[in-house]
Amino acid sequence: MTGIDINQFEEHILSIRLSADGFSFSIHHPQKRDDWNYTLYPINTAYSMTANLKNMIAATEVLRKTYKKVNVLIDTPRVTPIPFDLYEDDQVEKLFYYNFSPIRNEAVLCNILEKSNMAVLFGIDKHTLQLLNEQFPQVRVFTTTSPLLETFIQESRHSNQRSLYTHIQKNSMQVFAFERGKLLLTNTFSCKHTSDRVYYLLYIWQQLGFSQENDQLFLLGTLNDKQDLAKELQKFLRQIEEITPEKREIPFDMQTLLTCE
């Protein structure tokens, strides 16, 4: 991490990303496009998310500074997007558990995507949420799905073709399908091999009736096998494009989080 003037932390935004693959955080000045500091933090997979978070805060002095804003991104497959017209504050858990079985010590939160007129419901461990609220009194908690969904919806509105966006991570793959800004499908698959990713993507493509010649597939991710995936998919699909983030070392959902401001 490059140095930040000790007197300038209150001008910056702290964003923390919590994932089963590892934690990371960035410190960003909202008025300075190139002022990003990004740090990875390895986790002990034998510990809970709360225990790993507590250890990271204790071991990292800059996380205990005062910031203009603090955002936390939770990478979880337990996500349900709904049209905002269906959203009601007192019905959040009821709506969420239509899609998921309840689990112990889970809180259900909501992100409102104003540009897309959607609400994104997601689960978070209650102990993790309590620790975040204690450590960062003004914290705003997001699922990683929210900034991706907001970004892809806006992009797909400008396309005459149907689009499938694929966010590839180490042990999973998240997909978003659109037709001119209308969300057709979103889902997360646990997979780490190229062959499994090809199978899921082509199955979705077929089930949605997408055209092999005209509709678009966008690949996003930092994995080394992304090019291998593109090569295999090119045997079946004509319109494939890789999305290259402006800052390759920083997760795309963290970079696009500002779309939820």
Side-chain angles (χ1 to χ4, degrees):
M1 172 178 288
T2 59
I4 297 177
D5 190 311
I6 192 171
N7 298 314
Q8 294 184 347
F9 280 103
E10 293 186 0
E11 300 176 10
H12 287 71
I13 296 174
L14 170 65
S15 296
I16 300 172
R17 189 178 191 277
L18 308 179
S19 170
D21 292 337
F23 292 178
S24 62
F25 63 90
S26 72
I27 299 173
H28 170 59
H29 195 295
Q31 304 302 320
K32 300 177 182 178
R33 186 178 181 86
D34 294 325
D35 187 6
W36 284 83
N37 291 276
Y38 179 71
T39 302
L40 291 168
Y41 185 87
I43 62 173
N44 187 330
T45 55
Y47 294 172
S48 67
M49 178 175 286
T50 306
N52 276 296
L53 177 59
K54 188 177 295 185
N55 289 342
M56 183 174 75
I57 293 172
T60 312
E61 184 180 0
V62 294
L63 297 181
R64 302 192 297 275
K65 302 295 184 181
T66 299
Y67 291 89
K68 181 178 181 179
K69 291 181 181 178
V70 177
N71 301 321
V72 173
L73 279 161
I74 303 291
D75 184 16
T76 173
R78 293 176 66 84
V79 176
T80 296
I82 61 173
F84 184 70
D85 293 343
L86 300 179
Y87 171 74
E88 295 181 22
D89 284 334
D90 59 353
Q91 297 292 313
V92 167
E93 290 193 1
K94 183 178 180 180
L95 290 168
F96 182 75
Y97 290 124
Y98 278 140
N99 285 345
F100 297 101
S101 298
I103 59 176
R104 187 179 179 184
N105 293 323
E106 183 178 54
V108 181
L109 302 182
C110 178
N111 298 151
I112 304 299
L113 309 185
E114 295 183 358
K115 295 178 182 178
S116 304
N117 198 34
M118 295 192 70
V120 181
L121 313 182
F122 63 100
I124 179 174
D125 180 80
K126 287 183 178 179
H127 300 300
T128 301
L129 182 59
Q130 180 180 354
L131 177 59
L132 290 171
N133 285 324
E134 290 173 351
Q135 185 65 37
F136 311 107
Q138 303 300 322
V139 68
R140 303 185 307 164
V141 183
F142 299 84
T143 168
T144 54
T145 297
S146 292
L148 295 177
L149 188 56
E150 187 88 301
T151 299
F152 297 152
I153 285 177
Q154 305 312 313
E155 290 185 358
S156 68
R157 283 176 175 168
H158 302 292
S159 175
N160 291 323
Q161 300 148 300
R162 289 177 293 179
S163 307
L164 184 67
Y165 292 82
T166 306
H167 185 215
I168 306 164
Q169 299 191 78
K170 183 178 180 181
N171 295 308
S172 66
M173 177 179 70
Q174 190 172 16
V175 296
F176 306 83
F178 302 95
E179 183 169 6
R180 296 185 180 182
K182 178 183 177 182
L183 179 63
L184 302 176
L185 174 145
T186 180
N187 205 349
T188 299
F189 300 91
S190 296
C191 53
K192 59 177 68 175
H193 302 298
T194 297
S195 58
D196 293 330
R197 300 183 198 278
V198 170
Y199 171 81
Y200 285 127
L201 289 171
L202 293 181
Y203 179 78
I204 292 169
W205 201 269
Q206 181 185 50
Q207 290 299 303
L208 292 178
F210 276 25
S211 167
Q212 292 176 263
E213 292 290 328
N214 300 318
D215 293 327
Q216 297 173 297
L217 174 65
F218 295 93
L219 299 178
L220 169 70
T222 57
L223 293 186
N224 293 331
D225 65 351
K226 186 174 64 173
Q227 291 184 342
D228 293 337
L229 177 59
K231 184 177 180 180
E232 288 299 312
L233 289 168
Q234 284 170 352
K235 298 176 182 178
F236 308 96
L237 307 178
R238 183 177 180 85
Q239 306 285 346
I240 299 176
E241 182 177 336
E242 294 187 39
I243 298 176
T244 302
E246 182 178 351
K247 299 184 180 300
R248 299 190 181 190
E249 73 280 9
I250 301 175
F252 190 68
D253 46 47
M254 184 178 282
Q255 293 186 54
T256 55
L257 181 58
L258 295 179
T259 64
C260 295
E261 293 286 345

mmCIF file of all heavy atoms in Angstrom, residues 136-179:
data_model
loop_
_atom_site.group_PDB
_atom_site.id
_atom_site.type_symbol
_atom_site.label_atom_id
_atom_site.label_comp_id
_atom_site.label_asym_id
_atom_site.label_seq_id
_atom_site.Cartn_x
_atom_site.Cartn_y
_atom_site.Cartn_z
ATOM 1 N N PHE A 136 -17.363 0.053 12.693
ATOM 2 C CA PHE A 136 -17.585 1.136 11.735
ATOM 3 C C PHE A 136 -19.031 1.622 11.892
ATOM 4 O O PHE A 136 -19.933 1.115 11.203
ATOM 5 C CB PHE A 136 -17.352 0.646 10.306
ATOM 6 C CG PHE A 136 -16.058 -0.100 10.100
ATOM 7 C CD1 PHE A 136 -16.058 -1.484 9.920
ATOM 8 C CD2 PHE A 136 -14.850 0.574 10.104
ATOM 9 C CE1 PHE A 136 -14.872 -2.173 9.724
ATOM 10 C CE2 PHE A 136 -13.652 -0.107 9.912
ATOM 11 C CZ PHE A 136 -13.662 -1.483 9.724
ATOM 12 N N PRO A 137 -19.284 2.574 12.776
ATOM 13 C CA PRO A 137 -20.654 2.993 13.103
ATOM 14 C C PRO A 137 -21.490 3.413 11.899
ATOM 15 O O PRO A 137 -22.710 3.255 11.916
ATOM 16 C CB PRO A 137 -20.439 4.165 14.072
ATOM 17 C CG PRO A 137 -19.103 3.902 14.691
ATOM 18 C CD PRO A 137 -18.280 3.278 13.606
ATOM 19 N N GLN A 138 -20.867 3.950 10.847
ATOM 20 C CA GLN A 138 -21.615 4.408 9.670
ATOM 21 C C GLN A 138 -21.473 3.446 8.485
ATOM 22 O O GLN A 138 -21.653 3.848 7.333
ATOM 23 C CB GLN A 138 -21.132 5.813 9.265
ATOM 24 C CG GLN A 138 -21.248 6.858 10.358
ATOM 25 C CD GLN A 138 -22.685 7.045 10.815
ATOM 26 O OE1 GLN A 138 -23.608 7.009 10.015
ATOM 27 N NE2 GLN A 138 -22.875 7.228 12.125
ATOM 28 N N VAL A 139 -21.160 2.192 8.759
ATOM 29 C CA VAL A 139 -20.886 1.246 7.680
ATOM 30 C C VAL A 139 -22.114 1.023 6.799
ATOM 31 O O VAL A 139 -23.255 1.041 7.262
ATOM 32 C CB VAL A 139 -20.400 -0.105 8.264
ATOM 33 C CG1 VAL A 139 -21.516 -0.809 9.024
ATOM 34 C CG2 VAL A 139 -19.833 -1.001 7.173
ATOM 35 N N ARG A 140 -21.852 0.847 5.512
ATOM 36 C CA ARG A 140 -22.883 0.474 4.536
ATOM 37 C C ARG A 140 -22.489 -0.887 3.984
ATOM 38 O O ARG A 140 -21.362 -1.062 3.494
ATOM 39 C CB ARG A 140 -22.990 1.505 3.425
ATOM 40 C CG ARG A 140 -23.275 2.920 3.931
ATOM 41 C CD ARG A 140 -23.494 3.889 2.789
ATOM 42 N NE ARG A 140 -22.395 3.853 1.839
ATOM 43 C CZ ARG A 140 -22.446 4.364 0.607
ATOM 44 N NH1 ARG A 140 -23.549 4.927 0.167
ATOM 45 N NH2 ARG A 140 -21.404 4.310 -0.184
ATOM 46 N N VAL A 141 -23.390 -1.849 4.088
ATOM 47 C CA VAL A 141 -23.085 -3.221 3.695
ATOM 48 C C VAL A 141 -23.790 -3.552 2.382
ATOM 49 O O VAL A 141 -24.989 -3.315 2.229
ATOM 50 C CB VAL A 141 -23.518 -4.215 4.792
ATOM 51 C CG1 VAL A 141 -23.121 -5.640 4.395
ATOM 52 C CG2 VAL A 141 -22.892 -3.837 6.139
ATOM 53 N N PHE A 142 -23.023 -4.098 1.442
ATOM 54 C CA PHE A 142 -23.535 -4.471 0.126
ATOM 55 C C PHE A 142 -23.205 -5.935 -0.146
ATOM 56 O O PHE A 142 -22.204 -6.468 0.345
ATOM 57 C CB PHE A 142 -22.882 -3.648 -0.993
ATOM 58 C CG PHE A 142 -23.107 -2.166 -0.905
ATOM 59 C CD1 PHE A 142 -22.299 -1.361 -0.111
ATOM 60 C CD2 PHE A 142 -24.135 -1.557 -1.619
ATOM 61 C CE1 PHE A 142 -22.498 0.010 -0.036
ATOM 62 C CE2 PHE A 142 -24.341 -0.190 -1.553
ATOM 63 C CZ PHE A 142 -23.530 0.592 -0.755
ATOM 64 N N THR A 143 -24.013 -6.582 -0.957
ATOM 65 C CA THR A 143 -23.595 -7.825 -1.573
ATOM 66 C C THR A 143 -22.806 -7.479 -2.828
ATOM 67 O O THR A 143 -23.090 -6.457 -3.487
ATOM 68 C CB THR A 143 -24.789 -8.720 -1.933
ATOM 69 O OG1 THR A 143 -24.339 -9.780 -2.788
ATOM 70 C CG2 THR A 143 -25.865 -7.943 -2.657
ATOM 71 N N THR A 144 -21.843 -8.303 -3.191
ATOM 72 C CA THR A 144 -21.063 -8.047 -4.410
ATOM 73 C C THR A 144 -21.952 -8.061 -5.662
ATOM 74 O O THR A 144 -21.591 -7.487 -6.693
ATOM 75 C CB THR A 144 -19.946 -9.083 -4.584
ATOM 76 O OG1 THR A 144 -20.515 -10.403 -4.533
ATOM 77 C CG2 THR A 144 -18.898 -8.955 -3.478
ATOM 78 N N THR A 145 -23.099 -8.696 -5.558
ATOM 79 C CA THR A 145 -24.036 -8.731 -6.693
ATOM 80 C C THR A 145 -24.549 -7.343 -7.053
ATOM 81 O O THR A 145 -24.770 -7.038 -8.234
ATOM 82 C CB THR A 145 -25.227 -9.648 -6.365
ATOM 83 O OG1 THR A 145 -24.755 -10.982 -6.188
ATOM 84 C CG2 THR A 145 -26.273 -9.629 -7.474
ATOM 85 N N SER A 146 -24.732 -6.486 -6.059
ATOM 86 C CA SER A 146 -25.405 -5.201 -6.301
ATOM 87 C C SER A 146 -24.677 -4.303 -7.293
ATOM 88 O O SER A 146 -25.282 -3.852 -8.271
ATOM 89 C CB SER A 146 -25.635 -4.474 -4.971
ATOM 90 O OG SER A 146 -26.578 -5.178 -4.189
ATOM 91 N N PRO A 147 -23.380 -4.002 -7.096
ATOM 92 C CA PRO A 147 -22.720 -3.137 -8.083
ATOM 93 C C PRO A 147 -22.596 -3.789 -9.452
ATOM 94 O O PRO A 147 -22.654 -3.098 -10.474
ATOM 95 C CB PRO A 147 -21.349 -2.860 -7.462
ATOM 96 C CG PRO A 147 -21.128 -3.956 -6.486
ATOM 97 C CD PRO A 147 -22.486 -4.320 -5.966
ATOM 98 N N LEU A 148 -22.439 -5.125 -9.487
ATOM 99 C CA LEU A 148 -22.369 -5.807 -10.784
ATOM 100 C C LEU A 148 -23.707 -5.702 -11.509
ATOM 101 O O LEU A 148 -23.768 -5.384 -12.707
ATOM 102 C CB LEU A 148 -21.992 -7.278 -10.580
ATOM 103 C CG LEU A 148 -20.606 -7.559 -10.016
ATOM 104 C CD1 LEU A 148 -20.421 -9.056 -9.804
ATOM 105 C CD2 LEU A 148 -19.515 -7.024 -10.932
ATOM 106 N N LEU A 149 -24.780 -5.968 -10.785
ATOM 107 C CA LEU A 149 -26.109 -5.920 -11.391
ATOM 108 C C LEU A 149 -26.432 -4.516 -11.894
ATOM 109 O O LEU A 149 -26.926 -4.345 -13.011
ATOM 110 C CB LEU A 149 -27.137 -6.374 -10.367
ATOM 111 C CG LEU A 149 -28.577 -6.592 -10.842
ATOM 112 C CD1 LEU A 149 -28.620 -7.595 -11.989
ATOM 113 C CD2 LEU A 149 -29.441 -7.068 -9.681
ATOM 114 N N GLU A 150 -26.136 -3.516 -11.082
ATOM 115 C CA GLU A 150 -26.403 -2.131 -11.481
ATOM 116 C C GLU A 150 -25.627 -1.776 -12.749
ATOM 117 O O GLU A 150 -26.161 -1.162 -13.677
ATOM 118 C CB GLU A 150 -26.014 -1.183 -10.351
ATOM 119 C CG GLU A 150 -26.396 0.270 -10.589
ATOM 120 C CD GLU A 150 -27.791 0.610 -10.116
ATOM 121 O OE1 GLU A 150 -28.739 -0.023 -10.615
ATOM 122 O OE2 GLU A 150 -27.928 1.500 -9.257
ATOM 123 N N THR A 151 -24.371 -2.179 -12.799
ATOM 124 C CA THR A 151 -23.523 -1.872 -13.955
ATOM 125 C C THR A 151 -23.992 -2.592 -15.215
ATOM 126 O O THR A 151 -24.122 -1.992 -16.286
ATOM 127 C CB THR A 151 -22.064 -2.263 -13.654
ATOM 128 O OG1 THR A 151 -21.595 -1.521 -12.528
ATOM 129 C CG2 THR A 151 -21.167 -1.992 -14.854
ATOM 130 N N PHE A 152 -24.269 -3.891 -15.097
ATOM 131 C CA PHE A 152 -24.633 -4.675 -16.274
ATOM 132 C C PHE A 152 -26.018 -4.294 -16.813
ATOM 133 O O PHE A 152 -26.243 -4.326 -18.030
ATOM 134 C CB PHE A 152 -24.590 -6.172 -15.954
ATOM 135 C CG PHE A 152 -23.233 -6.677 -15.576
ATOM 136 C CD1 PHE A 152 -23.086 -7.776 -14.731
ATOM 137 C CD2 PHE A 152 -22.086 -6.054 -16.047
ATOM 138 C CE1 PHE A 152 -21.838 -8.245 -14.383
ATOM 139 C CE2 PHE A 152 -20.822 -6.517 -15.697
ATOM 140 C CZ PHE A 152 -20.697 -7.623 -14.866
ATOM 141 N N ILE A 153 -26.933 -3.952 -15.936
ATOM 142 C CA ILE A 153 -28.249 -3.511 -16.395
ATOM 143 C C ILE A 153 -28.112 -2.264 -17.256
ATOM 144 O O ILE A 153 -28.708 -2.160 -18.339
ATOM 145 C CB ILE A 153 -29.193 -3.241 -15.204
ATOM 146 C CG1 ILE A 153 -29.676 -4.563 -14.600
ATOM 147 C CG2 ILE A 153 -30.399 -2.402 -15.643
ATOM 148 C CD1 ILE A 153 -30.546 -4.401 -13.376
ATOM 149 N N GLN A 154 -27.317 -1.304 -16.783
ATOM 150 C CA GLN A 154 -27.155 -0.058 -17.538
ATOM 151 C C GLN A 154 -26.505 -0.320 -18.891
ATOM 152 O O GLN A 154 -26.908 0.248 -19.914
ATOM 153 C CB GLN A 154 -26.309 0.950 -16.731
ATOM 154 C CG GLN A 154 -26.826 1.258 -15.332
ATOM 155 C CD GLN A 154 -28.310 1.570 -15.294
ATOM 156 O OE1 GLN A 154 -28.814 2.353 -16.103
ATOM 157 N NE2 GLN A 154 -29.024 0.960 -14.361
ATOM 158 N N GLU A 155 -25.489 -1.197 -18.908
ATOM 159 C CA GLU A 155 -24.803 -1.494 -20.169
ATOM 160 C C GLU A 155 -25.723 -2.220 -21.152
ATOM 161 O O GLU A 155 -25.723 -1.926 -22.351
ATOM 162 C CB GLU A 155 -23.560 -2.334 -19.889
ATOM 163 C CG GLU A 155 -22.441 -1.568 -19.184
ATOM 164 C CD GLU A 155 -21.180 -2.402 -19.035
ATOM 165 O OE1 GLU A 155 -21.212 -3.585 -19.445
ATOM 166 O OE2 GLU A 155 -20.183 -1.875 -18.515
ATOM 167 N N SER A 156 -26.498 -3.153 -20.647
ATOM 168 C CA SER A 156 -27.328 -3.967 -21.538
ATOM 169 C C SER A 156 -28.483 -3.165 -22.143
ATOM 170 O O SER A 156 -29.033 -3.549 -23.174
ATOM 171 C CB SER A 156 -27.872 -5.192 -20.801
ATOM 172 O OG SER A 156 -28.800 -4.826 -19.806
ATOM 173 N N ARG A 157 -28.853 -2.055 -21.527
ATOM 174 C CA ARG A 157 -29.929 -1.218 -22.067
ATOM 175 C C ARG A 157 -29.556 -0.601 -23.412
ATOM 176 O O ARG A 157 -30.425 -0.220 -24.184
ATOM 177 C CB ARG A 157 -30.274 -0.106 -21.066
ATOM 178 C CG ARG A 157 -31.111 -0.582 -19.890
ATOM 179 C CD ARG A 157 -31.348 0.525 -18.880
ATOM 180 N NE ARG A 157 -32.246 0.082 -17.821
ATOM 181 C CZ ARG A 157 -32.461 0.754 -16.691
ATOM 182 N NH1 ARG A 157 -31.839 1.911 -16.489
ATOM 183 N NH2 ARG A 157 -33.294 0.281 -15.783
ATOM 184 N N HIS A 158 -28.254 -0.513 -23.674
ATOM 185 C CA HIS A 158 -27.786 0.127 -24.909
ATOM 186 C C HIS A 158 -27.502 -0.883 -26.013
ATOM 187 O O HIS A 158 -26.959 -0.521 -27.053
ATOM 188 C CB HIS A 158 -26.538 0.955 -24.620
ATOM 189 C CG HIS A 158 -26.743 2.013 -23.566
ATOM 190 N ND1 HIS A 158 -27.547 3.109 -23.759
ATOM 191 C CD2 HIS A 158 -26.270 2.112 -22.296
ATOM 192 C CE1 HIS A 158 -27.550 3.861 -22.673
ATOM 193 N NE2 HIS A 158 -26.794 3.280 -21.771
ATOM 194 N N SER A 159 -27.849 -2.137 -25.764
ATOM 195 C CA SER A 159 -27.558 -3.182 -26.746
ATOM 196 C C SER A 159 -28.842 -3.689 -27.387
ATOM 197 O O SER A 159 -29.876 -3.847 -26.725
ATOM 198 C CB SER A 159 -26.830 -4.352 -26.069
ATOM 199 O OG SER A 159 -26.647 -5.412 -26.974
ATOM 200 N N ASN A 160 -28.783 -3.949 -28.673
ATOM 201 C CA ASN A 160 -29.920 -4.533 -29.375
ATOM 202 C C ASN A 160 -29.919 -6.056 -29.281
ATOM 203 O O ASN A 160 -30.860 -6.707 -29.738
ATOM 204 C CB ASN A 160 -29.899 -4.121 -30.851
ATOM 205 C CG ASN A 160 -30.189 -2.640 -31.025
ATOM 206 O OD1 ASN A 160 -31.001 -2.070 -30.300
ATOM 207 N ND2 ASN A 160 -29.510 -2.024 -31.990
ATOM 208 N N GLN A 161 -28.854 -6.595 -28.701
ATOM 209 C CA GLN A 161 -28.728 -8.042 -28.562
ATOM 210 C C GLN A 161 -28.980 -8.434 -27.103
ATOM 211 O O GLN A 161 -28.813 -7.640 -26.192
ATOM 212 C CB GLN A 161 -27.319 -8.484 -28.981
ATOM 213 C CG GLN A 161 -26.988 -8.135 -30.418
ATOM 214 C CD GLN A 161 -25.504 -7.845 -30.600
ATOM 215 O OE1 GLN A 161 -24.968 -6.937 -29.996
ATOM 216 N NE2 GLN A 161 -24.858 -8.641 -31.434
ATOM 217 N N ARG A 162 -29.356 -9.670 -26.913
ATOM 218 C CA ARG A 162 -29.442 -10.191 -25.549
ATOM 219 C C ARG A 162 -28.030 -10.488 -25.051
ATOM 220 O O ARG A 162 -27.143 -10.837 -25.843
ATOM 221 C CB ARG A 162 -30.337 -11.424 -25.509
ATOM 222 C CG ARG A 162 -31.811 -11.082 -25.709
ATOM 223 C CD ARG A 162 -32.677 -12.313 -25.731
ATOM 224 N NE ARG A 162 -32.400 -13.130 -26.898
ATOM 225 C CZ ARG A 162 -33.011 -14.287 -27.152
ATOM 226 N NH1 ARG A 162 -33.932 -14.740 -26.317
ATOM 227 N NH2 ARG A 162 -32.721 -14.976 -28.234
ATOM 228 N N SER A 163 -27.836 -10.351 -23.742
ATOM 229 C CA SER A 163 -26.475 -10.411 -23.195
ATOM 230 C C SER A 163 -26.413 -11.328 -21.981
ATOM 231 O O SER A 163 -27.329 -11.331 -21.143
ATOM 232 C CB SER A 163 -26.005 -9.005 -22.763
ATOM 233 O OG SER A 163 -26.158 -8.070 -23.816
ATOM 234 N N LEU A 164 -25.322 -12.076 -21.895
ATOM 235 C CA LEU A 164 -25.043 -12.897 -20.724
ATOM 236 C C LEU A 164 -23.676 -12.477 -20.180
ATOM 237 O O LEU A 164 -22.663 -12.575 -20.870
ATOM 238 C CB LEU A 164 -25.020 -14.385 -21.090
ATOM 239 C CG LEU A 164 -24.836 -15.361 -19.921
ATOM 240 C CD1 LEU A 164 -26.056 -15.332 -19.010
ATOM 241 C CD2 LEU A 164 -24.604 -16.781 -20.430
ATOM 242 N N TYR A 165 -23.672 -11.953 -18.954
ATOM 243 C CA TYR A 165 -22.441 -11.534 -18.289
ATOM 244 C C TYR A 165 -22.029 -12.615 -17.300
ATOM 245 O O TYR A 165 -22.849 -13.093 -16.511
ATOM 246 C CB TYR A 165 -22.637 -10.216 -17.540
ATOM 247 C CG TYR A 165 -22.872 -9.021 -18.429
ATOM 248 C CD1 TYR A 165 -24.136 -8.756 -18.944
ATOM 249 C CD2 TYR A 165 -21.831 -8.136 -18.752
ATOM 250 C CE1 TYR A 165 -24.363 -7.654 -19.766
ATOM 251 C CE2 TYR A 165 -22.051 -7.039 -19.563
ATOM 252 C CZ TYR A 165 -23.318 -6.806 -20.066
ATOM 253 O OH TYR A 165 -23.538 -5.713 -20.859
ATOM 254 N N THR A 166 -20.747 -12.967 -17.319
ATOM 255 C CA THR A 166 -20.248 -14.043 -16.477
ATOM 256 C C THR A 166 -19.092 -13.538 -15.621
ATOM 257 O O THR A 166 -18.070 -13.099 -16.154
ATOM 258 C CB THR A 166 -19.755 -15.224 -17.339
ATOM 259 O OG1 THR A 166 -20.789 -15.618 -18.221
ATOM 260 C CG2 THR A 166 -19.358 -16.387 -16.467
ATOM 261 N N HIS A 167 -19.261 -13.580 -14.311
ATOM 262 C CA HIS A 167 -18.223 -13.153 -13.376
ATOM 263 C C HIS A 167 -17.559 -14.402 -12.814
ATOM 264 O O HIS A 167 -18.162 -15.154 -12.040
ATOM 265 C CB HIS A 167 -18.842 -12.318 -12.249
ATOM 266 C CG HIS A 167 -17.830 -11.740 -11.325
ATOM 267 N ND1 HIS A 167 -18.048 -11.582 -9.974
ATOM 268 C CD2 HIS A 167 -16.581 -11.274 -11.545
ATOM 269 C CE1 HIS A 167 -16.982 -11.046 -9.406
ATOM 270 N NE2 HIS A 167 -16.085 -10.860 -10.338
ATOM 271 N N ILE A 168 -16.305 -14.633 -13.213
ATOM 272 C CA ILE A 168 -15.584 -15.851 -12.858
ATOM 273 C C ILE A 168 -14.704 -15.592 -11.646
ATOM 274 O O ILE A 168 -13.904 -14.652 -11.619
ATOM 275 C CB ILE A 168 -14.713 -16.325 -14.034
ATOM 276 C CG1 ILE A 168 -15.556 -16.470 -15.298
ATOM 277 C CG2 ILE A 168 -14.033 -17.641 -13.704
ATOM 278 C CD1 ILE A 168 -14.722 -16.553 -16.557
ATOM 279 N N GLN A 169 -14.838 -16.455 -10.632
ATOM 280 C CA GLN A 169 -13.966 -16.393 -9.475
ATOM 281 C C GLN A 169 -13.298 -17.751 -9.285
ATOM 282 O O GLN A 169 -13.543 -18.688 -10.055
ATOM 283 C CB GLN A 169 -14.762 -15.978 -8.236
ATOM 284 C CG GLN A 169 -15.404 -14.603 -8.385
ATOM 285 C CD GLN A 169 -15.953 -14.083 -7.074
ATOM 286 O OE1 GLN A 169 -15.228 -13.592 -6.212
ATOM 287 N NE2 GLN A 169 -17.270 -14.198 -6.916
ATOM 288 N N LYS A 170 -12.471 -17.850 -8.261
ATOM 289 C CA LYS A 170 -11.653 -19.038 -8.067
ATOM 290 C C LYS A 170 -12.491 -20.308 -7.966
ATOM 291 O O LYS A 170 -12.188 -21.320 -8.605
ATOM 292 C CB LYS A 170 -10.791 -18.876 -6.814
ATOM 293 C CG LYS A 170 -9.849 -20.049 -6.557
ATOM 294 C CD LYS A 170 -9.009 -19.785 -5.323
ATOM 295 C CE LYS A 170 -8.069 -20.957 -5.055
ATOM 296 N NZ LYS A 170 -7.246 -20.723 -3.833
ATOM 297 N N ASN A 171 -13.541 -20.271 -7.173
ATOM 298 C CA ASN A 171 -14.334 -21.474 -6.918
ATOM 299 C C ASN A 171 -15.798 -21.331 -7.321
ATOM 300 O O ASN A 171 -16.618 -22.169 -6.941
ATOM 301 C CB ASN A 171 -14.259 -21.842 -5.430
ATOM 302 C CG ASN A 171 -12.857 -22.229 -5.000
ATOM 303 O OD1 ASN A 171 -12.231 -23.080 -5.623
ATOM 304 N ND2 ASN A 171 -12.368 -21.589 -3.961
ATOM 305 N N SER A 172 -16.110 -20.302 -8.066
ATOM 306 C CA SER A 172 -17.505 -20.086 -8.423
ATOM 307 C C SER A 172 -17.620 -19.277 -9.705
ATOM 308 O O SER A 172 -16.632 -18.740 -10.215
ATOM 309 C CB SER A 172 -18.255 -19.372 -7.288
ATOM 310 O OG SER A 172 -17.749 -18.064 -7.109
ATOM 311 N N MET A 173 -18.846 -19.172 -10.185
ATOM 312 C CA MET A 173 -19.133 -18.392 -11.384
ATOM 313 C C MET A 173 -20.538 -17.809 -11.227
ATOM 314 O O MET A 173 -21.500 -18.530 -10.959
ATOM 315 C CB MET A 173 -19.062 -19.286 -12.621
ATOM 316 C CG MET A 173 -19.411 -18.602 -13.931
ATOM 317 S SD MET A 173 -19.270 -19.742 -15.341
ATOM 318 C CE MET A 173 -20.675 -20.829 -15.028
ATOM 319 N N GLN A 174 -20.659 -16.504 -11.385
ATOM 320 C CA GLN A 174 -21.949 -15.844 -11.282
ATOM 321 C C GLN A 174 -22.364 -15.354 -12.661
ATOM 322 O O GLN A 174 -21.549 -14.792 -13.399
ATOM 323 C CB GLN A 174 -21.889 -14.673 -10.308
ATOM 324 C CG GLN A 174 -23.240 -14.071 -9.960
ATOM 325 C CD GLN A 174 -23.158 -13.049 -8.844
ATOM 326 O OE1 GLN A 174 -22.069 -12.568 -8.519
ATOM 327 N NE2 GLN A 174 -24.287 -12.719 -8.252
ATOM 328 N N VAL A 175 -23.626 -15.575 -13.012
ATOM 329 C CA VAL A 175 -24.107 -15.194 -14.332
ATOM 330 C C VAL A 175 -25.292 -14.238 -14.214
ATOM 331 O O VAL A 175 -26.084 -14.311 -13.270
ATOM 332 C CB VAL A 175 -24.507 -16.427 -15.174
ATOM 333 C CG1 VAL A 175 -23.307 -17.304 -15.450
ATOM 334 C CG2 VAL A 175 -25.614 -17.225 -14.487
ATOM 335 N N PHE A 176 -25.382 -13.329 -15.192
ATOM 336 C CA PHE A 176 -26.472 -12.362 -15.289
ATOM 337 C C PHE A 176 -26.909 -12.323 -16.743
ATOM 338 O O PHE A 176 -26.096 -12.056 -17.622
ATOM 339 C CB PHE A 176 -26.005 -10.964 -14.887
ATOM 340 C CG PHE A 176 -25.361 -10.853 -13.536
ATOM 341 C CD1 PHE A 176 -24.005 -11.155 -13.373
ATOM 342 C CD2 PHE A 176 -26.083 -10.415 -12.433
ATOM 343 C CE1 PHE A 176 -23.401 -11.040 -12.139
ATOM 344 C CE2 PHE A 176 -25.488 -10.293 -11.196
ATOM 345 C CZ PHE A 176 -24.148 -10.603 -11.037
ATOM 346 N N ALA A 177 -28.189 -12.563 -16.997
ATOM 347 C CA ALA A 177 -28.702 -12.535 -18.366
ATOM 348 C C ALA A 177 -29.703 -11.390 -18.516
ATOM 349 O O ALA A 177 -30.544 -11.166 -17.643
ATOM 350 C CB ALA A 177 -29.370 -13.862 -18.716
ATOM 351 N N PHE A 178 -29.608 -10.671 -19.647
ATOM 352 C CA PHE A 178 -30.439 -9.489 -19.867
ATOM 353 C C PHE A 178 -30.967 -9.442 -21.297
ATOM 354 O O PHE A 178 -30.345 -9.970 -22.224
ATOM 355 C CB PHE A 178 -29.634 -8.200 -19.645
ATOM 356 C CG PHE A 178 -29.023 -8.074 -18.283
ATOM 357 C CD1 PHE A 178 -27.707 -8.463 -18.063
ATOM 358 C CD2 PHE A 178 -29.757 -7.564 -17.227
ATOM 359 C CE1 PHE A 178 -27.135 -8.341 -16.819
ATOM 360 C CE2 PHE A 178 -29.191 -7.439 -15.970
ATOM 361 C CZ PHE A 178 -27.883 -7.837 -15.766
ATOM 362 N N GLU A 179 -32.093 -8.754 -21.441
ATOM 363 C CA GLU A 179 -32.598 -8.375 -22.752
ATOM 364 C C GLU A 179 -32.947 -6.896 -22.693
ATOM 365 O O GLU A 179 -33.942 -6.509 -22.088
ATOM 366 C CB GLU A 179 -33.827 -9.187 -23.136
ATOM 367 C CG GLU A 179 -34.331 -8.858 -24.539
ATOM 368 C CD GLU A 179 -35.381 -9.831 -25.028
ATOM 369 O OE1 GLU A 179 -35.815 -10.694 -24.242
ATOM 370 O OE2 GLU A 179 -35.772 -9.730 -26.210
#
